[in-house]
């Protein structure tokens, strides 16, 4: 019984460490996702401006 209890405590410690590591990794990934989402939004706005400029140049008569 004592051996089994010791084994279970070791497993618990290992799983706790793994869980902590995974939470830290998840936190980093959330920050990266937020950064990439902001960057994507910024790029879409820039692309929209460029499309409007391009359309304006297409319809403008050549002088």
């Amino acid at each position: 019984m004592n051996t089994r209890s010791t084994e279970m405590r070791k497993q618990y410690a290992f799983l706790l460490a793994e869980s902590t590591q995974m939470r830290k990794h998840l936190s980093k990934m959330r920050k990266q996702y937020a950064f990439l989402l902001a960057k994507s939004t910024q790029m879409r706005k820039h692309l929209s401006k460029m499309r409007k400029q391009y359309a304006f140049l297409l319809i403008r008569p050549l002088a």
Side-chain angles (χ1 to χ4, degrees):
M1 185 70 175
N2 193 20
T3 307
R4 180 77 175 138
S5 179
T6 303
E7 185 179 316
M8 289 181 72
R9 276 196 296 270
K10 287 179 183 177
Q11 285 179 343
Y12 176 76
F14 173 77
L15 291 173
L16 187 60
E18 282 289 311
S19 173
T20 302
Q21 212 172 20
M22 288 176 68
R23 281 190 288 117
K24 287 179 182 177
H25 188 65
L26 184 58
S27 176
K28 287 180 185 177
M29 289 178 67
R30 282 187 181 130
K31 289 174 186 173
Q32 287 176 341
Y33 176 76
F35 172 78
L36 291 173
L37 187 60
K39 199 68 168 166
S40 172
T41 301
Q42 187 180 22
M43 289 176 67
R44 282 189 292 116
K45 287 180 182 178
H46 188 65
L47 183 59
S48 177
K49 287 180 187 177
M50 289 177 64
R51 283 187 181 133
K52 289 175 186 171
Q53 289 173 345
Y54 179 69
F56 175 75
L57 289 173
L58 284 178
I59 62 171
R60 195 173 92 184
L62 295 175

